[in-house]
Amino acid sequence: MKLLARADNTLQASIWADTLRAAGIRCELRNTALSGALGEIPFLECAPQLWIERDHDEPRAREILQQLERPMQGPHW
């Protein structure tokens, strides 16, 4: 298992994990229920974490997350 990314919130982490799983990358979310401990536990330890199971999936997983950060192409609403 390898830590791939920390998300700003659980929704963002869930979208990332679902996208990676759809691409065939095995992953898991951790720290999804620690937001209430913020202040007692350091922020980085409370943030939702996305972990990948296989180290060799890391380059592809990072590329997928970068694609999610890019603006969508198409007509403006």
Side-chain angles (χ1 to χ4, degrees):
M1 296 294 281
K2 182 171 187 166
L3 175 61
L4 181 67
R6 288 183 174 89
D8 294 332
N9 55 62
T10 304
L11 178 60
Q12 181 184 43
S14 296
I15 291 169
W16 290 351
D18 290 344
T19 303
L20 292 181
R21 289 179 187 129
I25 297 173
R26 296 166 80 176
C27 62
E28 71 177 50
L29 293 177
R30 296 182 183 174
N31 298 352
T32 57
L34 286 178
S35 62
L38 188 61
E40 299 293 324
I41 299 175
F43 171 75
L44 288 179
E45 298 303 318
C46 289
Q49 298 175 346
L50 178 63
W51 290 73
I52 55 174
E53 188 173 301
R54 298 179 300 249
D55 290 349
H56 69 271
D57 285 332
E58 183 180 4
R60 186 163 169 246
R62 289 200 182 278
E63 182 179 329
I64 290 169
L65 292 185
Q66 286 176 352
Q67 288 175 2
L68 289 175
E69 296 295 323
R70 293 185 195 135
M72 296 292 294
Q73 299 296 320
H76 293 285
W77 286 67

